[in-house]
Amino acid sequence: MMDNGGFCNNNYHSGSSDDELVDISDVTVNFSEDVPPLDLDYSAGGCKADWRPSNSPKLIDLLDDTVPGIGTYEDFNTIDWVREKSKDRDRHREITNKSKHSTVALLFSISDAFSGWLLMLLIGLMSGALAGGIDIAAHWMTDLKEGVCLNGFWFNHEHCCWASNETTFQERDKCPQWKTWAELMVGVSEQGSVNVLNHFMYVSWALLFAFLAVILVRAFAPYACGSGIPEIKTILSGFIIRGYLGKWTLIIKTITLVLAVSSGLSLGKEGPLVHVACCCANILCHFFTKYRRNEAKRREVLSAASAVGVSVAFGAPIGGVLFSLEEVSYYFPLKTLWRSFFAALVAAFTLRSINPFGNSRLVLFYVEFHTPWHLLELIPFVLLGIFGGLWGAFFIHANIAWCRLRKNTRLGHYPVIEVLVVTLLTALLAFPIEYTRMSSSELISELFNDCGLLDSSKLCDYSGNSGGTSGSVNATAANGLGARLAGPGLYTAMWQLALALVFKMLITVATFGIKVPSGLFIPSIAVGAIAGRLLGVGMEQLAVHNHERKIFRGWCSPGADCITPGLYAMVGAAACLGGVTRMTVSLVVIMFELTGGLEYIVPLMAATMTSKWVADALSRESIYEAHIRLNGYPFLEAKEEFRHKTLATDVMRPRQSDPPLSVLTQSGMSVEEVERLIADTTYSGFPVVISQQSQRLVGFVLRRDLVISLENARRHQEGVVSVSAVLFTECDPPASPSAPPAVKLHNILDLSPFTVTVHTPMEIVVDIFRKLGLRQCLVIQNGRLLGIITKKDILKHMAQMANRDPESILFN
């Protein structure tokens, strides 16, 4: 059992481990020896390898009826994808055969086929409803830090002023019904002491929300902290983390996500909403037998649920499906693609029905740009891509270094204090600046905004219409271009945005990974949007002041905007998010759906690809893969190529110093001997051979199945004692009439374990493990068992080849 600071709790279940599925002995391999034929008599009792059914009354097949627990997995172990898919095919084949002979069976077959779509419908409805509730509650509680509505405390600032007759379009955020805390307590709103009081209330509410969030996570659901996407990726690859997608995690994560977002911390709700949707899917799977009993089928549902999470987070159903396919899912068949699309559609419809933003729109940031972009603008767009790649690489290195410091020092022992300190710093520094005080979603909307005639934002303060003192300014105004000259409000906004950029970049590094729900999408988008807006305004002023130059002559026509700064904000947001997550196709689609800017696909694509190239040049890992490696999760990344010229014999066990081989024989072992072997080892499975002398491979049996079967035999099979024979064959061994009944376990034996030879290149072995999702692979030569390669062996080997600590991989 390893101490893993990457998990949100420090208590792990100890038991059998995939680390060492078996311990292979130091077998002397002689490839030139004369290997006996398979049909010789190897067993002590003279039983040949006859696979025909036996009618012996003394041999009871333990698994004629399903034994509870058989085929299940222990915590922090990996699933056997091949076995799970085989079980599902057998189940489907049996249902199909029965449906031909009975009307009831036919109806059951139809309901079984429809159950997947029904499950997707329920996941979409449940996830959409929860996301709508989270959006409404977070918006209200965020505004609660600044004031309260007199018409009803349940109204947020925007909704409070909607119903006011005194509200004007220019000052739509001001109305007499909305009172700041200072106005309620002191009665005035313009004195310096009032700002101090408002600041105090802002910090107090932020600390209260953050404290409640971290306490609830610590007390009820330690798995509810963090983003959840690294763990979801690991679970989808076949790893078992009991409770990570449970009902308590769902309840606590939903509540604390609202509290964490409302506290003003530099985090988002988008990543955690993927976790919430997967929790909904996992809980609903228990109502459908074929998903409850099959881990591989359940992971198909979880892949679709991750698409639902992005769909409700951004209002981007198509982008959500592509996100699941590109970034999260390990196994994504075509059927899952269709069901993901359907579930994302249902979730988006549900969210639209709830209308959490109150504007009858599904998208989070709706923009409507009217100015076409120019070909030469690709240069600043590419510069934004370079910035996004540099920011992504910097953020990943800095955040991983901070998380490693937290994990390896006493800092990790005080998560509540850490959350409160980060919240206090965030609130104290954020309040004085308008663009850090507002929520990240409001900030992004402001930065994406295309200035209109009646817009009162400081970002839209252009003073050219009032004329100027210099001849160039007057000439510009005369040409109809003066309306885009920067005014004093815009200059103020620029330096405030510059401070906000530095603040967001630094505080996000310390915030992502603390013990509250924390997503990374919105903070990354905010950083990119600020950088993009700054560059966009700079390009706009450059074009306005130099509109007569040849390079800008075709851009600035009288009465029209030269450049759209909001477009630069949108492109910068995509670049920074791409640099952190390394998404490409799904990111462009999400940004398109998020903003409705269909005409700007090319700038988004250029910036996103540039960002990925720059970030990959500095570090190949995305933030999620970096956290997977930091936490030691057993995840075989499909994007990572295996370039080393090693063979299976270099990785397999046993090695020279390893203890003797622990195997089972197909006959000749007693119940007591098998139980002693189980008690003396911690391996998750055992190869079954014909005999200890021949080492001819017969199959592979899992430890958990073996333990459950033997316990069930002692409890329910009459006459079973310690000296009863354990048989992994269907043949009838000779036995004396007085011998106790044998325990037949051939039905729990995997007769077709995957095997390779000692000369198989590891490049092929790694590919087999990735594409088939294997737990282990046996190494044979001429049918004789020589060794074993487990998933952890491969991960350790890859870590060694990359000069990383091979013991950091977590299995149990």
Side-chain angles (χ1 to χ4, degrees):
M1 184 174 71
M2 296 181 59
D3 181 19
N4 184 353
F7 280 100
C8 302
N9 66 341
N10 294 320
N11 299 317
Y12 307 124
H13 174 78
S14 62
S16 65
S17 170
D18 277 356
D19 177 5
E20 302 174 21
L21 283 166
V22 293
D23 198 3
I24 307 298
S25 68
D26 187 7
V27 180
T28 303
V29 182
N30 183 3
F31 296 114
S32 63
E33 71 173 310
D34 185 16
V35 182
L38 281 173
D39 59 354
L40 288 185
D41 184 358
Y42 292 108
S43 66
C47 173
K48 291 187 178 183
D50 182 7
W51 300 109
R52 291 171 296 178
S54 170
N55 296 320
S56 170
K58 191 176 271 191
L59 295 176
I60 299 178
D61 188 356
L62 193 64
L63 294 179
D64 284 342
D65 296 322
T66 302
V67 177
I70 292 291
T72 59
Y73 303 93
E74 294 187 12
D75 201 9
F76 294 99
N77 274 223
T78 52
I79 70 169
D80 190 332
W81 283 86
V82 176
R83 184 174 73 162
E84 295 298 305
K85 298 300 292 183
S86 178
K87 279 167 51 179
D88 183 64
R89 284 194 299 270
D90 292 341
R91 184 196 64 83
H92 184 71
R93 193 178 296 116
E94 182 181 358
I95 291 174
T96 303
N97 291 334
K98 287 182 178 180
S99 66
K100 299 176 181 177
H101 305 100
S102 167
T103 304
V104 175
L106 177 62
L107 294 174
F108 178 78
S109 174
I110 295 172
S111 67
D112 181 77
F114 181 71
S115 61
W117 295 100
L118 177 60
L119 180 57
M120 293 298 115
L121 175 67
L122 295 176
I123 292 171
L125 291 172
M126 187 174 179
S127 302
L130 285 175
I134 289 171
D135 284 334
I136 293 170
H139 199 171
W140 171 67
M141 292 179 66
T142 299
D143 289 346
L144 192 63
K145 300 202 301 280
E146 299 185 26
V148 68
C149 184
L150 299 182
N151 289 347
F153 71 92
W154 56 87
F155 288 126
N156 61 44
H157 193 171
E158 185 179 8
H159 290 176
C160 183
C161 291
W162 275 358
S164 174
N165 294 327
E166 293 85 355
T167 304
T168 63
F169 187 83
Q170 289 85 350
E171 297 183 340
R172 48 190 178 275
D173 60 338
K174 296 181 180 179
C175 61
Q177 288 79 12
W178 179 264
K179 297 292 184 182
T180 65
W181 291 110
E183 288 176 322
L184 286 174
M185 296 176 182
V186 182
V188 294
S189 59
E190 299 297 333
Q191 297 179 1
S193 59
V194 170
N195 287 331
V196 174
L197 182 57
N198 280 329
H199 195 174
F200 173 77
M201 292 300 298
Y202 182 91
V203 173
S204 300
W205 279 109
L207 288 173
L208 175 63
F209 293 156
F211 177 73
L212 289 175
V214 69
I215 287 297
L216 288 173
V217 166
R218 293 272 295 171
F220 297 103
Y223 283 148
C225 71
S227 166
I229 291 182
E231 288 78 11
I232 296 296
K233 288 187 68 167
T234 309
I235 290 171
L236 289 179
S237 73
F239 198 51
I240 301 286
I241 306 179
R242 300 288 181 204
Y244 196 82
L245 301 176
K247 58 181 181 298
W248 272 111
T249 303
L250 173 63
I251 294 170
I252 298 302
K253 186 132 193 174
T254 303
I255 296 171
T256 55
L257 180 56
V258 174
L259 292 167
V261 172
S262 304
S263 67
L265 287 166
S266 183
L267 48 82
K269 61 182 183 297
E270 287 65 33
L273 276 176
V274 174
H275 189 186
V276 168
C278 287
C279 287
C280 295
N282 185 63
I283 292 169
L284 291 171
C285 277
H286 286 82
F287 297 100
F288 298 85
T289 305
K290 77 174 180 179
Y291 296 106
R292 182 176 69 248
R293 295 183 177 177
N294 194 295
E295 294 288 348
K297 295 293 291 181
R298 190 183 306 184
R299 273 152 183 77
E300 293 180 20
V301 175
L302 294 178
S303 293
S306 62
V308 171
V310 175
S311 174
V312 295
F314 290 112
I318 302 174
V321 175
L322 292 175
F323 172 80
S324 178
L325 175 61
E326 180 182 10
E327 188 62 28
V328 180
S329 296
Y330 194 84
Y331 173 68
F332 202 85
L334 192 59
K335 180 170 59 177
T336 302
L337 177 68
W338 300 333
R339 290 181 175 174
S340 300
F341 185 77
F342 173 70
L345 172 67
V346 173
F349 175 78
T350 305
L351 190 64
R352 170 65 179 79
S353 302
I354 295 174
N355 193 20
F357 308 119
N359 57 7
S360 299
R361 290 198 178 104
L362 181 63
V363 297
L364 194 58
F365 315 112
Y366 182 77
V367 297
E368 195 171 354
F369 301 141
H370 302 287
T371 306
W373 60 279
H374 305 278
L375 187 61
L376 284 176
E377 285 186 275
L378 282 176
I379 296 174
F381 294 152
V382 169
L383 290 177
L384 284 174
I386 294 173
F387 172 79
L390 294 174
W391 151 249
F394 161 76
F395 174 79
I396 292 170
H397 283 294
N399 181 252
I400 292 299
W402 179 256
C403 290
R404 188 174 285 115
L405 179 70
R406 179 192 297 124
K407 181 178 179 180
N408 298 328
T409 63
R410 293 181 62 84
L411 177 64
H413 299 162
Y414 306 101
V416 177
I417 295 176
E418 181 190 10
V419 170
L420 292 179
V421 169
V422 172
T423 306
L424 180 63
L425 286 174
T426 304
L428 286 173
L429 297 175
F431 187 84
I433 303 175
E434 176 186 355
Y435 297 110
T436 53
R437 182 169 65 247
M438 65 175 64
S439 69
S440 295
S441 297
E442 289 182 79
L443 171 62
I444 295 167
S445 295
E446 182 93 353
L447 295 170
F448 283 3
N449 182 39
D450 185 25
C451 293
L453 295 176
L454 298 177
D455 208 310
S456 59
S457 170
K458 284 193 294 186
L459 289 171
C460 299
D461 183 15
Y462 293 97
S463 61
N465 286 332
S466 62
T469 57
S470 67
S472 61
V473 173
N474 286 328
T476 303
N479 286 332
L481 299 174
R484 302 305 291 184
L485 286 173
L490 183 58
Y491 284 115
T492 302
M494 288 300 99
W495 70 260
Q496 287 184 345
L497 282 177
L499 290 177
L501 177 63
V502 176
F503 171 75
K504 284 281 186 184
M505 291 174 69
L506 296 179
I507 203 67
T508 304
V509 170
T511 304
F512 187 69
I514 61 176
K515 296 300 184 284
V516 295
S518 55
L520 193 58
F521 278 48
I522 288 296
S524 299
I525 289 176
V527 168
I530 294 172
R533 189 77 187 203
L534 289 171
L535 180 60
V537 171
M539 287 295 298
E540 179 190 48
Q541 296 306 305
L542 182 66
V544 168
H545 284 88
N546 299 277
H547 67 279
E548 293 182 352
R549 292 181 180 270
K550 184 176 180 181
I551 191 174
F552 297 115
R553 192 171 298 159
W555 294 19
C556 299
S557 56
D561 297 342
C562 295
I563 285 174
T564 307
L567 172 60
Y568 284 74
M570 190 169 76
V571 172
C576 285
L577 184 55
V580 172
T581 63
R582 310 298 162 85
M583 296 189 299
T584 52
V585 179
S586 58
L587 175 58
V588 171
V589 175
I590 287 173
M591 291 304 297
F592 151 59
E593 290 188 274
L594 196 63
T595 60
L598 179 60
E599 299 177 14
Y600 306 105
I601 291 290
V602 174
L604 289 171
M605 292 173 66
T608 302
M609 281 309 305
T610 305
S611 172
K612 178 174 172 57
W613 287 334
V614 172
D616 281 347
L618 299 174
S619 172
R620 296 288 297 179
E621 292 179 322
S622 72
I623 184 64
Y624 304 129
E625 292 151 13
H627 272 271
I628 286 173
R629 184 163 60 83
L630 175 70
N631 296 338
Y633 298 143
F635 182 75
L636 270 176
E637 177 56 58
K639 303 171 188 173
E640 186 178 355
E641 295 183 15
F642 188 87
R643 303 176 183 272
H644 310 286
K645 295 183 178 180
T646 51
L647 302 176
T649 186
D650 301 320
V651 181
M652 76 172 191
R653 288 172 293 157
R655 298 192 176 94
Q656 292 295 328
S657 58
D658 285 347
L661 176 67
S662 297
V663 296
L664 299 169
T665 57
Q666 67 175 2
S667 60
M669 294 186 72
S670 66
V671 171
E672 183 181 19
E673 290 173 331
V674 175
E675 289 177 338
R676 189 184 305 120
L677 178 65
I678 294 172
D680 293 343
T681 60
T682 59
Y683 314 134
S684 289
F686 303 92
V688 178
V689 296
I690 289 180
S691 68
Q692 293 284 359
Q693 293 75 29
S694 72
Q695 293 288 313
R696 289 279 192 177
L697 180 64
V698 176
F700 191 87
V701 63
L702 292 179
R703 174 196 185 94
R704 183 180 180 86
D705 293 354
L706 190 60
V707 170
I708 293 173
S709 300
L710 291 177
E711 290 177 353
N712 192 73
R714 283 188 177 275
R715 190 179 300 115
H716 298 109
Q717 187 175 340
E718 185 178 352
V720 171
V721 292
S722 296
V723 295
S724 296
V726 177
L727 302 177
F728 293 97
T729 174
E730 293 187 357
C731 65
D732 293 335
S736 63
S738 59
V743 179
K744 283 188 64 178
L745 301 180
H746 74 276
N747 274 0
I748 66 170
L749 179 65
D750 180 7
L751 293 171
S752 57
F754 273 83
T755 58
V756 296
T757 70
V758 288
H759 300 296
T760 304
M762 278 305 298
E763 184 179 3
I764 295 177
V765 176
V766 171
D767 218 25
I768 291 173
F769 269 79
R770 279 176 180 155
K771 293 181 177 178
L772 296 179
L774 300 184
R775 300 181 78 190
Q776 69 281 321
C777 183
L778 302 176
V779 184
I780 63 171
Q781 187 73 18
N782 296 330
R784 183 175 180 180
L785 177 67
L786 298 181
I788 188 170
I789 299 175
T790 67
K791 189 175 183 180
K792 188 170 185 181
D793 291 330
I794 289 180
L795 290 165
K796 280 185 173 183
H797 180 66
M798 294 175 72
Q800 286 176 332
M801 294 293 101
N803 296 319
R804 299 195 303 261
D805 179 17
E807 298 303 323
S808 63
I809 311 299
L810 172 71
F811 266 90
N812 224 35

mmCIF file of all heavy atoms in Angstrom, residues 558-579:
data_model
loop_
_atom_site.group_PDB
_atom_site.id
_atom_site.type_symbol
_atom_site.label_atom_id
_atom_site.label_comp_id
_atom_site.label_asym_id
_atom_site.label_seq_id
_atom_site.Cartn_x
_atom_site.Cartn_y
_atom_site.Cartn_z
ATOM 1 N N PRO A 558 -13.986 53.979 -43.567
ATOM 2 C CA PRO A 558 -14.719 54.981 -42.776
ATOM 3 C C PRO A 558 -16.052 54.415 -42.277
ATOM 4 O O PRO A 558 -16.796 53.771 -43.023
ATOM 5 C CB PRO A 558 -14.930 56.131 -43.757
ATOM 6 C CG PRO A 558 -13.816 55.985 -44.743
ATOM 7 C CD PRO A 558 -13.583 54.528 -44.886
ATOM 8 N N GLY A 559 -16.320 54.624 -40.979
ATOM 9 C CA GLY A 559 -17.580 54.209 -40.393
ATOM 10 C C GLY A 559 -17.632 52.755 -39.988
ATOM 11 O O GLY A 559 -18.661 52.283 -39.519
ATOM 12 N N ALA A 560 -16.532 52.032 -40.161
ATOM 13 C CA ALA A 560 -16.523 50.609 -39.816
ATOM 14 C C ALA A 560 -15.401 50.329 -38.832
ATOM 15 O O ALA A 560 -14.430 51.079 -38.732
ATOM 16 C CB ALA A 560 -16.350 49.758 -41.078
ATOM 17 N N ASP A 561 -15.526 49.229 -38.078
ATOM 18 C CA ASP A 561 -14.489 48.841 -37.135
ATOM 19 C C ASP A 561 -13.319 48.224 -37.893
ATOM 20 O O ASP A 561 -13.505 47.465 -38.841
ATOM 21 C CB ASP A 561 -15.033 47.823 -36.128
ATOM 22 C CG ASP A 561 -16.152 48.421 -35.280
ATOM 23 O OD1 ASP A 561 -16.242 49.653 -35.247
ATOM 24 O OD2 ASP A 561 -16.904 47.646 -34.679
ATOM 25 N N CYS A 562 -12.109 48.568 -37.460
ATOM 26 C CA CYS A 562 -10.920 48.002 -38.098
ATOM 27 C C CYS A 562 -10.704 46.557 -37.645
ATOM 28 O O CYS A 562 -10.493 45.664 -38.447
ATOM 29 C CB CYS A 562 -9.684 48.825 -37.744
ATOM 30 S SG CYS A 562 -9.725 50.513 -38.376
ATOM 31 N N ILE A 563 -10.702 46.375 -36.348
ATOM 32 C CA ILE A 563 -10.366 45.085 -35.742
ATOM 33 C C ILE A 563 -11.350 44.832 -34.605
ATOM 34 O O ILE A 563 -11.812 45.773 -33.953
ATOM 35 C CB ILE A 563 -8.917 45.104 -35.224
ATOM 36 C CG1 ILE A 563 -7.947 45.008 -36.417
ATOM 37 C CG2 ILE A 563 -8.633 43.969 -34.252
ATOM 38 C CD1 ILE A 563 -6.509 45.158 -36.030
ATOM 39 N N THR A 564 -11.648 43.583 -34.354
ATOM 40 C CA THR A 564 -12.557 43.210 -33.271
ATOM 41 C C THR A 564 -11.746 42.660 -32.102
ATOM 42 O O THR A 564 -11.287 41.514 -32.154
ATOM 43 C CB THR A 564 -13.564 42.152 -33.735
ATOM 44 O OG1 THR A 564 -14.219 42.619 -34.913
ATOM 45 C CG2 THR A 564 -14.585 41.852 -32.656
ATOM 46 N N PRO A 565 -11.527 43.431 -31.022
ATOM 47 C CA PRO A 565 -10.738 42.929 -29.889
ATOM 48 C C PRO A 565 -11.365 41.697 -29.235
ATOM 49 O O PRO A 565 -10.645 40.842 -28.714
ATOM 50 C CB PRO A 565 -10.717 44.121 -28.919
ATOM 51 C CG PRO A 565 -10.966 45.316 -29.774
ATOM 52 C CD PRO A 565 -11.886 44.851 -30.856
ATOM 53 N N GLY A 566 -12.696 41.616 -29.248
ATOM 54 C CA GLY A 566 -13.346 40.448 -28.663
ATOM 55 C C GLY A 566 -12.956 39.155 -29.351
ATOM 56 O O GLY A 566 -12.887 38.092 -28.713
ATOM 57 N N LEU A 567 -12.705 39.213 -30.662
ATOM 58 C CA LEU A 567 -12.263 38.021 -31.394
ATOM 59 C C LEU A 567 -10.903 37.561 -30.889
ATOM 60 O O LEU A 567 -10.652 36.358 -30.739
ATOM 61 C CB LEU A 567 -12.211 38.325 -32.891
ATOM 62 C CG LEU A 567 -11.578 37.251 -33.784
ATOM 63 C CD1 LEU A 567 -12.332 35.938 -33.680
ATOM 64 C CD2 LEU A 567 -11.533 37.722 -35.230
ATOM 65 N N TYR A 568 -10.010 38.499 -30.611
ATOM 66 C CA TYR A 568 -8.691 38.157 -30.094
ATOM 67 C C TYR A 568 -8.827 37.491 -28.716
ATOM 68 O O TYR A 568 -8.066 36.572 -28.394
ATOM 69 C CB TYR A 568 -7.818 39.403 -29.994
ATOM 70 C CG TYR A 568 -7.279 39.871 -31.319
ATOM 71 C CD1 TYR A 568 -8.096 40.500 -32.254
ATOM 72 C CD2 TYR A 568 -5.946 39.680 -31.654
ATOM 73 C CE1 TYR A 568 -7.611 40.927 -33.472
ATOM 74 C CE2 TYR A 568 -5.438 40.108 -32.876
ATOM 75 C CZ TYR A 568 -6.279 40.734 -33.786
ATOM 76 O OH TYR A 568 -5.785 41.144 -35.001
ATOM 77 N N ALA A 569 -9.770 37.978 -27.916
ATOM 78 C CA ALA A 569 -10.008 37.359 -26.612
ATOM 79 C C ALA A 569 -10.457 35.915 -26.777
ATOM 80 O O ALA A 569 -10.017 35.011 -26.050
ATOM 81 C CB ALA A 569 -11.048 38.166 -25.831
ATOM 82 N N MET A 570 -11.332 35.681 -27.747
ATOM 83 C CA MET A 570 -11.834 34.332 -27.996
ATOM 84 C C MET A 570 -10.712 33.408 -28.470
ATOM 85 O O MET A 570 -10.574 32.269 -28.009
ATOM 86 C CB MET A 570 -12.953 34.384 -29.034
ATOM 87 C CG MET A 570 -13.705 33.085 -29.208
ATOM 88 S SD MET A 570 -15.193 33.305 -30.206
ATOM 89 C CE MET A 570 -14.471 33.419 -31.847
ATOM 90 N N VAL A 571 -9.878 33.902 -29.378
ATOM 91 C CA VAL A 571 -8.759 33.100 -29.892
ATOM 92 C C VAL A 571 -7.738 32.837 -28.779
ATOM 93 O O VAL A 571 -7.215 31.720 -28.644
ATOM 94 C CB VAL A 571 -8.104 33.815 -31.084
ATOM 95 C CG1 VAL A 571 -6.824 33.098 -31.518
ATOM 96 C CG2 VAL A 571 -9.075 33.893 -32.255
ATOM 97 N N GLY A 572 -7.441 33.866 -27.972
ATOM 98 C CA GLY A 572 -6.514 33.675 -26.856
ATOM 99 C C GLY A 572 -7.030 32.668 -25.847
ATOM 100 O O GLY A 572 -6.257 31.869 -25.297
ATOM 101 N N ALA A 573 -8.345 32.678 -25.597
ATOM 102 C CA ALA A 573 -8.936 31.707 -24.670
ATOM 103 C C ALA A 573 -8.733 30.285 -25.177
ATOM 104 O O ALA A 573 -8.358 29.377 -24.419
ATOM 105 C CB ALA A 573 -10.428 32.008 -24.503
ATOM 106 N N ALA A 574 -8.975 30.063 -26.473
ATOM 107 C CA ALA A 574 -8.782 28.730 -27.048
ATOM 108 C C ALA A 574 -7.318 28.312 -26.985
ATOM 109 O O ALA A 574 -6.999 27.154 -26.687
ATOM 110 C CB ALA A 574 -9.280 28.711 -28.492
ATOM 111 N N ALA A 575 -6.412 29.254 -27.238
ATOM 112 C CA ALA A 575 -4.982 28.939 -27.233
ATOM 113 C C ALA A 575 -4.507 28.517 -25.845
ATOM 114 O O ALA A 575 -3.779 27.520 -25.695
ATOM 115 C CB ALA A 575 -4.183 30.147 -27.722
ATOM 116 N N CYS A 576 -4.909 29.237 -24.807
ATOM 117 C CA CYS A 576 -4.465 28.905 -23.457
ATOM 118 C C CYS A 576 -5.079 27.606 -22.957
ATOM 119 O O CYS A 576 -4.401 26.801 -22.313
ATOM 120 C CB CYS A 576 -4.788 30.061 -22.495
ATOM 121 S SG CYS A 576 -3.669 31.462 -22.682
ATOM 122 N N LEU A 577 -6.349 27.396 -23.254
ATOM 123 C CA LEU A 577 -6.971 26.135 -22.850
ATOM 124 C C LEU A 577 -6.334 24.966 -23.590
ATOM 125 O O LEU A 577 -6.118 23.894 -23.020
ATOM 126 C CB LEU A 577 -8.480 26.192 -23.114
ATOM 127 C CG LEU A 577 -9.296 24.971 -22.661
ATOM 128 C CD1 LEU A 577 -9.053 24.682 -21.181
ATOM 129 C CD2 LEU A 577 -10.775 25.197 -22.915
ATOM 130 N N GLY A 578 -6.021 25.168 -24.867
ATOM 131 C CA GLY A 578 -5.352 24.118 -25.626
ATOM 132 C C GLY A 578 -3.951 23.835 -25.112
ATOM 133 O O GLY A 578 -3.516 22.681 -25.092
ATOM 134 N N GLY A 579 -3.237 24.873 -24.673
ATOM 135 C CA GLY A 579 -1.901 24.664 -24.138
ATOM 136 C C GLY A 579 -1.904 23.848 -22.858
ATOM 137 O O GLY A 579 -0.978 23.077 -22.599
#
